[in-house]
Structure formats: structure tokens, C-alpha cells
Amino acid sequence: VSQSRYRIAIIERDICGGGASGRNAGYVLSLWARFPAMAAFMGDEEALRIARASANSVAEIGAFCAEHKIDAEYENNGWLWGASCEKHLGTWSSVAERLSRFQSYPFREMNRVEIAERWGLDGYYGGAFDAAAAAVQPAKLVRGLARRAREMGADIFERSPMVALYYRDWE
């Protein structure tokens, strides 16, 4: 652990992982499906950079958990953008086509038989599979991150609601 001139303090009203961060669904997703909205906001190149980074971050989270022995129940099983009715079939096609212009192919189209065979789901008409997605047990992830932060020298003050913040220049 490198020494820094900064001290890190985390103030937590409850315990780390006790609030929404520990009770969310635990999805670790890329942003490929959000590419059109991101591109409209920031342009194609920046949206591509962020989408690629988000896809890479899924594996990086798994590697970080393994390296630091955080048992967050990380599972890189991908994500299915599924059509549960015929009207929704192919809703991913325009996104996939737009991404193909940049030689990016994050989705693999699947038919109802493939989906049923892989996941035992028989209510889907088809879908697009994104392999860059995982699931975690969110409370375990947050608790593991808090442990790692402490190991690196951060002070964590749990059950400490912040009522005021005062700045002091230490130099």
C-alpha cells in the first residue's frame, strides 16, 4: 500500500451495505443497450468509449473480487434482452445495427429454442444475449469493498450520521 498525503474517511449513517447499495438487484451490466441515448447526449465516439469501458469493467469487478478475496458471489453469466411477446421481437436490432457501423458486436441474437435450452425459459420469443454482464450479492460486495478500503488505510465510521462538515486546511 502506497503512502499518501491524504486521509480517507467514509461516513456511513448505517453500516456499509445496509442501505440501497446492499439491497439492489446486484446486476453488473454493460451500457451497450443504452448506446443510442448516450450517443445522442455525448456523440458516438464518447458513447463507444464509455460502453466499451463499462463492458470491460464487468470482468474487472470479478477480477478485483478474486484478487482481494471478496466473496460477492460474482457470476459472469451474461444478460438477455428478451422479447416476451411478438411485438417486442427485434427491439435490439436497431442498436445492434448502429453498433456494427463501429465494428462493435456485443449482442448475439438467440431464438426461443436457444433461450429455452440455455435457461429453461419458455416464455420468450427471442432475444439478444450480452456476455458482458454479471450478477453479485450486493451486500457482500459492499462489505468486501469496505474491508479492502480499511486494509488500504481508510477510516470508516459506521452508524455515524453526518450532521455537519467543517473544512480544515492541514498545510
Side-chain angles (χ1 to χ4, degrees):
V1 177
S2 64
Q3 294 296 320
S4 172
R5 67 183 199 102
Y6 299 104
R7 285 186 59 205
I8 306 298
I10 299 170
I11 312 299
E12 173 58 56
R13 180 175 183 230
D14 191 9
I15 63 168
C16 294
S21 62
R23 291 192 302 264
N24 67 59
Y27 298 123
V28 184
L29 303 174
S30 75
L31 294 172
W32 288 118
R34 303 288 179 237
F35 178 78
M38 292 191 314
F41 181 72
M42 62 187 76
D44 289 341
E45 292 306 314
E46 185 65 3
L48 278 168
R49 187 187 71 75
I50 290 173
R52 287 179 178 135
S54 73
N56 291 337
S57 73
V58 174
E60 290 169 0
I61 289 168
F64 184 90
C65 287
E67 179 183 349
H68 299 287
K69 297 179 178 39
I70 297 172
D71 180 19
E73 300 176 23
Y74 176 91
E75 290 185 39
N76 184 217
N77 292 328
W79 170 73
L80 178 67
W81 185 348
S84 57
C85 67
E86 286 188 50
K87 184 177 181 177
H88 295 151
L89 200 55
T91 55
W92 50 85
S93 298
S94 64
V95 178
E97 181 183 319
R98 187 162 175 192
L99 287 168
S100 72
R101 295 181 213 152
F102 304 101
Q103 287 72 51
S104 292
Y105 306 94
F107 305 116
R108 183 173 74 81
E109 196 158 356
M110 299 178 78
N111 63 39
R112 69 172 39 210
V113 173
E114 292 171 308
I115 292 169
E117 287 175 353
R118 180 165 181 158
W119 293 287
L121 302 170
D122 59 6
Y124 286 89
Y125 287 78
F129 178 70
D130 178 1
V136 295
Q137 203 298 333
K140 287 183 173 183
L141 176 62
V142 175
R143 295 304 294 168
L145 292 171
R147 176 186 49 81
R148 183 65 186 127
R150 283 185 180 104
E151 291 169 357
M152 295 179 71
D155 294 312
I156 300 178
F157 300 93
E158 295 180 305
R159 292 185 167 77
S160 301
M162 182 177 283
V163 294
L165 176 64
Y166 300 97
Y167 173 76
R168 177 176 174 186
D169 187 357
W170 293 98
E171 294 190 62

